[in-house]
Amino acid sequence: MVSKNRFGTYGVWLSGGQWKPGTAAVAERLGYRTLWIGGSPAADLTGVEAVLNETENVTVATGIVNIWNADPVEAAASYLRIEDEHPGRFVLGIGSGHREHTAERAKPYSALVEYLDVLDAEGVPADARLLAALGDRTLKLAADRSLGAHPYLTNPAHTAHARGILGDALLAPELKVALSDDQEQARAAARKYLERYFGLENYVGALKRFGVDAAEFDDGGSDDLVDLVAANPTPEIAGAGLNAHLEAGADHISVQPIGHDALGDLERVADALGLTED
């Protein structure tokens, strides 16, 4: 059985290609307790094995396997293989992606339910999986049929709302962090990174439902919006942004560094959070 306590308070979120050899070992030494493999990992989950092989105690989770691209039987077989090699250290995160990128995404909720049914049949325990979830139905599904939810690109208001739906289930959002000696440079880097996400209806819609005015998305995002979802420019401000989600009810928050020096930024944030103290 995987406990939500295994996730710890702080984690690291990087896309699959960013987990270069040695990166996971450094993140573990810095004190982060869960390492998220972002993007859409293939169903063979070889990237998960690589991260687990170079670490000792951290939890590893996918954020997320896209149900339209990864066959559920293959994903389940990969989970069982990894669980046999690294018992209790891997959680399979799944999600339904975005309609802008997936033509067949007509009934994402039903598709998620069907995918979970296959995982059940293939022997993947409910407490060893989680769901990418923004809306209320999917949050409830996450609470009922998995360890919990991994919302992406949200604000503390959404976190507080999600907590009420999830009950005691895991709530593990992420926060982008853009560090720089110059705040305008940090914001520019964040705007460039956020451009593709601000073109996706489910993320934009969720932010609007929880307090962000539509006009805030104009011209690449207002300063207030960029600062909200990509905390900058100092490690201390980033730490405050992370802790705002925890205060709103998150069990765990993952740091996604979006600057050119991911490991350096992770170390600076870890220092600000006190993770590197003896």
Side-chain angles (χ1 to χ4, degrees), residues 62 86 180:
T62 50
H86 303 278
S180 174

Side-chain angles (χ1 to χ4, degrees), residues 151-171:
Y152 186 89
L153 192 62
T154 57
N155 59 5
H158 180 277
T159 295
H161 177 79
R163 177 80 281 157
I165 295 173
L166 287 167
D168 292 332
L170 175 75
L171 176 53

